[in-house]
């Protein structure tokens, strides 16, 4: 698989996952005083309401920040980088593309 193929595959997977997440839990996502992440229609995305331990709810701001709009933006960026590699000889050697490939490889790796 070429670097461009890796980027496009990750973009496709991420876009599908983000669109599915948005249908289930529309963005934006916010952290509430109840220690939950809620989507725009009020559904709970993540719940840490049963714990008072700060370490057990430290991920809530991160989860809220990574709502489906971020996934779609990342997918667009990965597609952009894939197109750039194809159009510009040697583009895959740039540092920015290496960062994009690191993201793509994390998305493409089996969970």
């Amino acid at each position: 698989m070429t670097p461009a193929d890796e980027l496009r595959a990750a973009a496709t997977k991420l876009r599908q996952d983000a669109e599915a997440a948005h249908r289930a839990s529309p963005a934006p996502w916010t952290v509430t005083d109840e220690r939950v992440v809620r989507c725009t229609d009020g559904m709970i995305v993540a719940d840490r309401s049963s714990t008072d331990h700060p370490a057990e709810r430290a991920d809530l701001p991160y989860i809220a920040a990574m709502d489906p709009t971020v996934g779609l933006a990342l997918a667009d960026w990965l597609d952009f980088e894939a197109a750039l590699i194809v159009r510009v000889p040697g583009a895959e050697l740039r540092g920015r593309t290496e960062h994009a490939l690191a993201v793509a490889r994390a998305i493409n790796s089996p969970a």
Side-chain angles (χ1 to χ4, degrees):
M1 182 178 287
T2 69
D5 291 337
E6 289 182 81
L7 293 167
R8 283 191 292 266
T12 297
K13 181 180 186 311
L14 189 54
R15 190 171 285 108
Q16 290 169 347
D17 291 347
E19 288 170 352
H22 183 70
R23 282 190 298 277
S25 305
W29 295 354
T30 56
V31 179
T32 71
D33 291 338
E34 309 159 298
R35 298 186 300 266
V36 300
V37 174
R38 289 191 184 273
C39 63
T40 196
D41 68 3
M43 295 284 293
I44 294 175
V45 175
D47 186 344
R48 303 292 187 268
S49 61
S50 64
T51 181
D52 286 327
H53 196 284
E56 291 183 10
R57 59 180 192 270
D59 58 354
L60 292 177
Y62 179 77
I63 293 168
M66 293 293 120
D67 76 28
T69 60
V70 175
L72 293 173
L74 283 170
D76 289 345
W77 171 58
L78 294 171
D79 277 333
F80 173 84
E81 290 293 333
L84 188 62
I85 288 172
V86 172
R87 285 193 315 264
V88 180
E92 70 274 7
L93 304 176
R94 296 170 315 126
R96 188 176 82 193
T97 302
E98 287 302 316
H99 294 295
L101 281 168
V103 171
R105 288 171 179 154
I107 293 166
N108 291 334
S109 68

